[in-house]
Amino acid sequence: MTLRENGPLSPYRILDLTDELGFLCGKTLGDLGADVIKVERPGGDAARRIGPYLDGERDPEKSLYWFAFNNNKRGVTLNLEAAEGRELFMRLVEKADFILETFPPGYLEDIGLAHDVLRGVSPRLVQVSITPFGQTGPYSRYRATDIEIMAMSGCMSLTGDPGKPPLRVTFPQSYQWTGSYAAMAALVAHTQRRRTGRGEHVDVSAQACMLWGFSHAHTFWDLNRSVEKRAGSFMTGRTITGAKMRVFWPCKDGYLNFIIYGGEAGRKTNQALVEWMAEKGAAPAFLLERDWRTFNIERVTQEEIDVMEAPIAEFFTGVTKREFFEAVTGRGMLGYPVSTAQELLEDPQLAARGFWQEVEHPELDRSITYPGGFARFSEFSCGIRRRAPLIGEHNTEVYGEFGLDAGELARLENDGVI
Amino acid sequence: MKALEGLKVVEAAAYAAGPVVGKHLVDQGATVVHIESRTRPDGFRTHYPPYKDNIHGLNRSGLFALCNSEKLGVTLNLKKGPGALALAKRIVSWADVMVENFSPGTIGRLGLGYEALKEVNPRLIMLSSSNLGQSGPHAHHPGFGSQLSSLAGFTNLTGYRDGSPQILYGPYIDYIAVGYGVVAVLAALEYREATGRGQHIDLAQYETGLQYLAPLLLDYTVNGNTATRDGNRHPEAAPHGAFPCAGDDNWCVLSVASDEQWRALCHTMDRPEWGGRDEYATAERRRKRADELETRIGEWTRQFEARELVEKLQAAGVPAGMINGMEQIYDDPQLVHRGQWTRMDHAEIGTMSYQRAPFTLSESDSGPDRPDPLLGEHNEYFYRELLGLSDEEFETFTSEGVID
């Protein structure tokens, strides 16, 4: 088998001891072919209790959250709290290239599996430790779920209506940011190891990963001591009059994202919108007569914006999201509909690129449509190679590769080690 | 030593999606050359605030600074005919990696498509980052990352159930693509180490964004469910949200995932009796009474300073955090402890806080160690020293306006 078929990371074995904070790290490296072994506690990972679930059944083998972020992994169970479990773990470490873990700082030291101990048996080991705030420092022992990470990174201060509480994205985002940036960290360490032959201990902070989630808002403070804040569903900061522009518009079947912009991009878009409205007999004279080349967004007043936005709002209420998408792509306008999952699944662009992947789930006697690989490589395939593992599904296979026979496995299972 | 020392990267890229890939590579030691033209500098220099002291200037942009620290800044006017094409190809033959984020088709029209470049350098890894991808019926649609976050469904998941979707700050999805872009480049490097072959990577920001929503996409493909926004509420945990603290617009968050944490919260609030109340006994019941519960908790939290309250709750085992504003994150004790910011002097901006990687490596150093380049700052150094142009060649390219 070749790297072209199996992916560039197929020569490497990864032990994945992460919870939801790190799932996407192993999954992403698995998209690139790595042999990722998910090590779960006996009975299965707690994260198998995260919904949504297949048919709404709260069953650890039916978590769609698990399916989505643990595909490309084989699965074994192992009790690290038992001495024999740790011995077995050290045998795995000896032949592993990476360990990914999300234990609270200090936990692995406490059970005798500190980084130095692991490096002792495998000097070239890359250990990626992923936590909300990092391995050391004043908040390193703080407990955090998605909302705490979103809060302390600064993200939430920029989301929500002024006068109401700051908001997070309802579906957790920080875990994915952390997992995918941890994959970057793993490969940086690996690149160094290729040259030096030496492993690395990588310390990934979710709070720090999330700093890129709001790009550059903090530079306004750094440079000019002005504070960017949440603005609900309006665009601010584009005018010297303080006027704000509507971003979200109700349409026939949901919402559209459209903004009256200035500059060259705005000129084209505004012109194209008015032409479209005119074709439907919905463009008032003052919009038709407007010369967009002289439209100066910086000096526009709120009153002028309100007057312009009123007929546009009226027009959009009669437009479907699909009609809007066809108009923006066909007429070269800026703007997009606010998609739901259904619209994403029906998007012709994603379909044409073969983005969706059918993955067999023989245990369910069906296949499931998944989002495919994160990028398209001209030399090798990137995407889902196997569905997420069932609890302990690969115990025999994986432990067999490490030289354990059926008798030993049965005994370990009996003793609650696996 | 830094992990990526020796790696040579050229960026025919502007704004965020391309250059921040280079930013992560340069932070780990790569040599990254950022190409601009005086006729068309990076848009972050010209079109996006903040500018130092709110005075526009090509070398005063905070956003350009953030995204381009330590890079070499050179000018090359790609539209300047065969001379420009020849020089661009010399740069490509020097480079290991090229990053571009023109709209699809543009780089090919300039004569610098992958097929042409691999003739020059078969080991080249070329990353093309775009809105919707290099192929497909809508490949050529020009879009902004801020609006692409709506097409990909993120804003649909932000806001209240009965209200409008809400904005995610900036081009949220661009930086999701950036993380994957770096992963893609390093994976292609690994492949090249093993096979000697370069390649082209087609990275669609849209498709990278959808990775972050995968469980909800499965919920639709499997169950036909369409997820929507629900403020700060959580489908399982309660209470779960943001609460006011003392002062003006100060907030904390807390989340209660278990009944044990609920009782710990009640104790901390000096309301141990709530921990025993039937109507709050399970997460499901607490979710049903979320409005009432959130009001009561808010009455308690507003007596405290956010930091003080968070320490109290954390000590009791309840996950909690303060909502850091943009004026607070440079002083956040944890980020400071990690050395998240490195303050360096920039010729026109003065002192600027440059951002470091979100991870540290035990055996390798990381940057940035220099500020971002002024427009064309490294023309002499790069073209003469690194690329090896002769004096005569350099002068010809300059007088022709190729190096502008």
Side-chain angles (χ1 to χ4, degrees), chain A residues 12 133 136 139 152 173 180-181 190 194-195 198 200 218 222 224 228 333 339 347 349 353 379, chain B residues 3 5 53 138 141 151 169 172 175 190 197 206-207 212 223 307 324 330 334 337 353 363-364:
Chain A
Y12 303 104
F133 302 104
T136 62
Y139 302 159
M152 288 169 75
Q173 293 294 294
S180 57
Y181 276 69
H190 172 67
R194 219 167 38 212
R195 177 163 51 193
R198 290 168 63 199
E200 295 259 15
H218 50 99
D222 193 33
N224 296 330
E228 292 288 281
M333 290 162 59
S339 304
D347 179 359
Q349 172 71 6
R353 284 171 58 81
E379 284 288 312
Chain B
E5 265 172 42
D53 301 329
H138 300 140
H141 184 245
L151 185 67
Y169 192 92
Y172 180 79
Y175 296 92
E190 170 68 29
R197 297 171 64 90
Y206 187 23
E207 292 169 1
Y212 280 24
N223 297 324
R307 194 172 300 269
N324 273 326
Y330 293 105
Q334 181 66 21
H337 169 84
S353 300
E363 314 289 319
S364 306

Side-chain angles (χ1 to χ4, degrees), chain A residues 347-411:
Chain A
D347 179 359
Q349 172 71 6
L350 294 169
R353 284 171 58 81
F355 177 64
W356 304 103
Q357 242 187 293
E358 283 297 309
V359 178
E360 288 300 323
H361 278 256
E363 81 289 359
L364 302 171
D365 202 20
R366 63 175 295 176
S367 70
I368 294 177
T369 306
Y370 283 73
F374 62 84
R376 212 154 297 245
F377 294 81
S378 63
E379 284 288 312
F380 55 79
S381 70
C382 167
I384 301 177
R385 294 158 206 274
R386 57 163 74 235
R387 62 146 172 76
L390 307 175
I391 300 168
E393 182 178 354
H394 303 96
N395 279 357
T396 309
E397 179 181 309
V398 170
Y399 290 129
E401 291 166 18
F402 288 87
L404 273 71
D405 62 31
E408 269 179 290
L409 282 173
R411 190 185 58 72

Side-chain angles (χ1 to χ4, degrees), chain B residues 301-320:
Chain B
T301 56
R302 66 174 74 244
Q303 309 166 58
F304 302 93
E305 232 196 305
R307 194 172 300 269
E308 175 195 357
L309 188 69
V310 167
E311 278 169 21
K312 209 189 241 294
L313 287 166
Q314 287 283 352
V318 179

